[in-house]
Amino acid sequence: MILPVSGLPADAAAPVFEAAALSVGFALKHYLADFVLQTNWIARGKERDHGWAGPLVVHALCHGTITLVIALAVAPHLWWLAIADVLVHIAIDRSKTAVSHWGRWQPTEAPFWWVLGFDQLLHQVTNITLATALVLL
């Protein structure tokens, strides 16, 4: 039984629930790839001025691999979203590093946390977009 969501037709409730559930799944993906699977080599390496590409690519591939698993389980024809996730993740993380290096902020300074928080916001917006794409495309 589909319970109506206020203001939505009954047949729209299932996609809204599916998108919300996938968003939670992508938030879990982000936790796993950004914290559980991120080694010291990745965490420190992707922040360097030189030699950052390898660790950053490995990190983004962790995200992309989990996105691929989710996509194959939900909408296999959207497997390519995993590639998009890798590319977007690289762009967001490298941009955060560039801004952080430019500002030279330390964890004791508020701008350090603003930049890190904005990085995390962009990742969650990406995750919501991926979840929505899996439902609508």
Side-chain angles (χ1 to χ4, degrees), residues 47-106:
E47 300 294 327
R48 295 190 303 235
D49 286 325
H50 305 287
W52 53 266
L56 180 55
V57 168
V58 169
H59 174 63
L61 286 172
C62 288
H63 282 274
T65 300
I66 302 171
T67 295
L68 180 61
V69 169
I70 294 169
L72 291 176
V74 175
H77 68 286
L78 297 176
W79 60 268
W80 55 269
L81 288 174
I83 297 170
D85 191 21
V86 168
L87 297 175
V88 169
H89 205 90
I90 288 171
I92 291 170
D93 277 13
R94 194 61 200 158
S95 296
K96 179 210 42 150
T97 298
V99 170
S100 295
H101 286 194
W102 171 77
R104 296 184 182 158
W105 298 297
Q106 300 301 312

Side-chain angles (χ1 to χ4, degrees), residues 2-28:
I2 296 176
L3 300 174
V5 177
S6 178
L8 293 175
D11 62 344
V16 168
F17 178 79
E18 186 178 357
L22 283 167
S23 292
V24 171
F26 278 107
L28 177 60

